[in-house]
PDB file of all heavy atoms in Angstrom:
ATOM      1  N   ASP A  76      16.430  33.343  -3.386  1.00 98.00           N
ATOM      2  CA  ASP A  76      17.103  33.099  -4.660  1.00 98.00           C
ATOM      3  C   ASP A  76      17.848  31.771  -4.536  1.00 98.00           C
ATOM      4  O   ASP A  76      18.634  31.601  -3.588  1.00 98.00           O
ATOM      5  CB  ASP A  76      18.088  34.260  -4.922  1.00 98.00           C
ATOM      6  CG  ASP A  76      18.697  34.202  -6.306  1.00 98.00           C
ATOM      7  OD1 ASP A  76      19.042  33.095  -6.769  1.00 98.00           O
ATOM      8  OD2 ASP A  76      18.823  35.269  -6.930  1.00 98.00           O
ATOM      9  N   VAL A  77      17.606  30.849  -5.460  1.00 98.00           N
ATOM     10  CA  VAL A  77      18.242  29.524  -5.343  1.00 98.00           C
ATOM     11  C   VAL A  77      19.764  29.592  -5.398  1.00 98.00           C
ATOM     12  O   VAL A  77      20.441  28.655  -4.987  1.00 98.00           O
ATOM     13  CB  VAL A  77      17.756  28.519  -6.419  1.00 98.00           C
ATOM     14  CG1 VAL A  77      16.349  28.056  -6.149  1.00 98.00           C
ATOM     15  CG2 VAL A  77      17.919  29.067  -7.826  1.00 98.00           C
ATOM     16  N   ARG A  78      20.291  30.715  -5.890  1.00 98.00           N
ATOM     17  CA  ARG A  78      21.758  30.826  -5.923  1.00 98.00           C
ATOM     18  C   ARG A  78      22.332  30.963  -4.518  1.00 98.00           C
ATOM     19  O   ARG A  78      23.507  30.698  -4.308  1.00 98.00           O
ATOM     20  CB  ARG A  78      22.171  32.041  -6.780  1.00 98.00           C
ATOM     21  CG  ARG A  78      21.951  31.802  -8.271  1.00 98.00           C
ATOM     22  CD  ARG A  78      22.235  33.049  -9.049  1.00 98.00           C
ATOM     23  NE  ARG A  78      21.265  34.092  -8.760  1.00 98.00           N
ATOM     24  CZ  ARG A  78      21.403  35.373  -9.101  1.00 98.00           C
ATOM     25  NH1 ARG A  78      22.487  35.777  -9.717  1.00 98.00           N
ATOM     26  NH2 ARG A  78      20.461  36.242  -8.808  1.00 98.00           N
ATOM     27  N   ASP A  79      21.489  31.363  -3.570  1.00 98.00           N
ATOM     28  CA  ASP A  79      21.931  31.559  -2.192  1.00 98.00           C
ATOM     29  C   ASP A  79      21.472  30.358  -1.347  1.00 98.00           C
ATOM     30  O   ASP A  79      20.447  30.400  -0.677  1.00 98.00           O
ATOM     31  CB  ASP A  79      21.343  32.872  -1.654  1.00 98.00           C
ATOM     32  CG  ASP A  79      21.912  33.256  -0.306  1.00 98.00           C
ATOM     33  OD1 ASP A  79      22.538  32.399   0.344  1.00 98.00           O
ATOM     34  OD2 ASP A  79      21.718  34.422   0.090  1.00 98.00           O
ATOM     35  N   THR A  80      22.253  29.292  -1.384  1.00 98.00           N
ATOM     36  CA  THR A  80      21.877  28.056  -0.684  1.00 98.00           C
ATOM     37  C   THR A  80      21.643  28.310   0.803  1.00 98.00           C
ATOM     38  O   THR A  80      20.699  27.781   1.389  1.00 98.00           O
ATOM     39  CB  THR A  80      22.992  26.997  -0.840  1.00 98.00           C
ATOM     40  OG1 THR A  80      23.357  26.934  -2.215  1.00 98.00           O
ATOM     41  CG2 THR A  80      22.539  25.622  -0.385  1.00 98.00           C
ATOM     42  N   GLU A  81      22.517  29.135   1.390  1.00 98.00           N
ATOM     43  CA  GLU A  81      22.395  29.385   2.842  1.00 98.00           C
ATOM     44  C   GLU A  81      21.067  30.048   3.178  1.00 98.00           C
ATOM     45  O   GLU A  81      20.447  29.749   4.199  1.00 98.00           O
ATOM     46  CB  GLU A  81      23.554  30.259   3.325  1.00 98.00           C
ATOM     47  CG  GLU A  81      24.841  29.480   3.466  1.00 98.00           C
ATOM     48  CD  GLU A  81      26.006  30.345   3.921  1.00 98.00           C
ATOM     49  OE1 GLU A  81      25.767  31.481   4.363  1.00 98.00           O
ATOM     50  OE2 GLU A  81      27.145  29.876   3.800  1.00 98.00           O
ATOM     51  N   GLN A  82      20.611  30.950   2.296  1.00 98.00           N
ATOM     52  CA  GLN A  82      19.334  31.631   2.512  1.00 98.00           C
ATOM     53  C   GLN A  82      18.179  30.613   2.476  1.00 98.00           C
ATOM     54  O   GLN A  82      17.268  30.672   3.303  1.00 98.00           O
ATOM     55  CB  GLN A  82      19.127  32.698   1.417  1.00 98.00           C
ATOM     56  CG  GLN A  82      17.920  33.588   1.642  1.00 98.00           C
ATOM     57  CD  GLN A  82      17.570  34.436   0.411  1.00 98.00           C
ATOM     58  OE1 GLN A  82      18.086  34.210  -0.688  1.00 98.00           O
ATOM     59  NE2 GLN A  82      16.697  35.408   0.606  1.00 98.00           N
ATOM     60  N   VAL A  83      18.241  29.693   1.530  1.00 98.00           N
ATOM     61  CA  VAL A  83      17.180  28.683   1.405  1.00 98.00           C
ATOM     62  C   VAL A  83      17.179  27.774   2.633  1.00 98.00           C
ATOM     63  O   VAL A  83      16.127  27.502   3.226  1.00 98.00           O
ATOM     64  CB  VAL A  83      17.353  27.853   0.107  1.00 98.00           C
ATOM     65  CG1 VAL A  83      16.306  26.751   0.023  1.00 98.00           C
ATOM     66  CG2 VAL A  83      17.273  28.758  -1.120  1.00 98.00           C
TER      67      VAL A  83
END
Side-chain angles (χ1 to χ4, degrees):
D76 188 319
V77 287
R78 288 174 293 167
D79 188 345
T80 312
E81 283 179 13
Q82 187 192 12
V83 176

